[in-house]
Amino acid sequence: MSRHQSRPSVDALTLTPVAITRSCFRDKFGVPRQPGLTRFAHADLVIQPPFDREDAFRGLETASHLWLTFQFHEAVRAEWRPVVRPPRLGGNRKMGVFASRSPFRPNSLGLSVVRNEGLMRDADGRLVLRVGDHDLIDGTPILDIKPYLPFADSVPEATLGWADSAPTERLPVVFLEEAEQQLAALPAERYPDFRGLIEDVVSYDPRPSFRRGRDEERIYGAHLYDLNVRFRFIHGDSQERVEVLTVC
């Protein structure tokens, strides 16, 4: 048997999720385009059998941040395309899929750095790893979990010519009276840091690139936890802003 023939086939590669995500983001609209852009996003990674053994996570409590490998389960396509239109470039320029972080890619795999908020058991006794500063929608399959190593994983001199700096342009956010009242009535333990989460989500303007900067009457909605946050963009007066209408 030749050396080539003795190698195992990679065509039948099978991946088993180690966890399923319970996220504050219930659908794709409003999810930050990179982890860390939303400071108040929390999620529980529900560890799946047979991986739900605390021994498998021994020592992870010393890691402040984690690498997650996951599947973009709502972006799976039968065929892949070699070029994409990154939102960072306004959706007008094409880049190679392997030069981008687009979810529409071969194998539909994603990679994110998240904050480690600790291992615990939920009310049903399931082992849960809580994370923060994430970009995962509800139901995301987690394929692997690794500690982030600052000395190896941080490269301060690294560059990417078309996206070197973090997005800093944020719109001011105004909560109208009805939204303020609804927020005040929500239990903080069930909706942690909820006001800050809403501000981070809408201030970066989650609309498709072709709609940004337009003067429109349309009201948008983002599903955060089990609530629908309705908001609109105000243009043409003294200051462009986002108005949060209701939280219910």
Side-chain angles (χ1 to χ4, degrees):
M1 180 180 292
S2 70
R3 181 181 178 185
H4 176 73
Q5 290 174 325
S6 66
R7 294 177 180 174
S9 171
V10 297
D11 294 335
L13 180 65
T14 299
L15 299 176
T16 302
V18 301
I20 301 297
T21 306
R22 289 192 309 220
S23 173
C24 57
F25 302 117
R26 295 306 169 93
D27 51 37
K28 291 184 289 185
F29 183 68
V31 177
R33 292 185 171 90
Q34 301 295 338
L37 292 182
T38 301
R39 302 161 294 169
F40 305 109
H42 302 281
D44 288 342
L45 309 184
V46 183
I47 310 303
Q48 302 297 292
F51 313 109
D52 54 343
R53 299 174 53 179
E54 294 184 16
D55 279 354
F57 298 87
R58 185 185 303 170
L60 197 67
E61 70 277 2
T62 65
S64 65
H65 290 76
L66 309 170
W67 283 110
L68 301 180
T69 305
F70 60 92
Q71 183 191 41
F72 291 107
H73 65 296
E74 292 194 0
V76 176
R77 292 177 171 175
E79 297 181 357
W80 69 281
R81 296 179 180 177
V83 295
V84 295
R85 298 176 183 269
R88 185 68 181 273
L89 298 177
N92 300 317
R93 290 176 54 193
K94 293 181 179 180
M95 301 293 290
V97 65
F98 296 122
S100 79
R101 303 281 286 265
S102 169
F104 302 106
R105 56 194 316 109
N107 299 314
S108 304
L109 295 183
L111 184 67
S112 287
V113 175
V114 299
R115 188 177 70 249
N116 180 11
E117 296 185 344
L119 195 68
M120 63 198 73
R121 295 278 177 181
D122 67 9
D124 296 319
R126 292 173 295 191
L127 192 62
V128 168
L129 179 63
R130 179 157 291 180
V131 299
D133 297 354
H134 69 89
D135 58 346
L136 307 169
I137 66 173
D138 199 59
T140 295
I142 305 300
L143 302 175
D144 201 7
I145 301 167
K146 295 184 176 74
Y148 178 91
L149 300 179
F151 73 89
D153 297 336
S154 177
V155 185
E157 67 272 21
T159 62
L160 177 59
W162 57 271
D164 257 353
S165 58
T168 56
E169 294 183 4
R170 299 181 60 171
L171 299 174
V173 180
V174 176
F175 289 80
L176 300 191
E177 183 176 355
E178 184 175 3
E180 288 281 15
Q181 293 174 352
Q182 291 167 336
L183 268 177
L186 294 175
E189 64 277 5
R190 185 173 177 181
Y191 305 97
D193 303 317
F194 197 38
R195 184 189 184 97
L197 175 63
I198 295 172
E199 290 178 344
D200 281 351
V201 166
V202 303
S203 66
Y204 281 116
D205 195 344
R207 293 178 295 177
S209 300
F210 69 91
R211 288 190 176 274
R212 291 183 178 182
R214 291 190 176 187
D215 188 9
E216 57 180 356
E217 298 296 328
R218 182 173 179 174
I219 294 176
Y220 290 86
H223 289 94
L224 304 177
Y225 294 103
D226 55 349
L227 300 173
N228 185 25
V229 179
R230 298 172 69 246
F231 54 97
R232 65 188 176 194
F233 295 86
I234 305 298
H235 300 268
D237 57 3
S238 58
Q239 185 182 43
E240 184 179 359
R241 65 185 182 277
V242 189
E243 290 184 347
V244 178
L245 309 176
T246 58
V247 181
C248 58

